[in-house]
Amino acid sequence: SWTVADPGAAPVTKYIVTRDSVRLVTINNAATTTYTDASVVSGGSYRYQVKAYNAVGWSPYSTAVTVVVP
């Protein structure tokens, strides 16, 4: 999950979620700020980033978060 720190000049309308620099999903619902990646494997390490879109354009990607699956 993530939070929008500053939507800028216009409300956010969609997000892109990446895992290890590969797009997993485009979320076209700005109210949705969670994504469950069901394709991970136990013991795997994954790097996630999100970027947002509004009427001004795309934001830069978020700071990466690394998740290690138990």
Side-chain angles (χ1 to χ4, degrees):
S1 68
W2 58 91
T3 58
V4 178
D6 178 6
V12 171
T13 58
K14 61 184 166 182
Y15 302 98
I16 288 178
V17 179
T18 65
R19 181 182 75 200
D20 300 328
S21 300
V22 175
R23 182 187 305 207
L24 286 176
V25 66
T26 300
I27 299 171
N28 292 310
N29 178 354
T32 300
T33 56
T34 63
Y35 176 74
T36 301
D37 183 0
S39 64
V40 297
V41 295
S42 182
S45 176
Y46 304 95
R47 184 176 172 264
Y48 294 92
Q49 290 180 283
V50 177
K51 71 177 181 176
Y53 181 81
N54 66 13
V56 177
W58 287 103
S59 72
Y61 276 103
S62 65
T63 301
V65 174
T66 300
V67 176
V68 177
V69 180

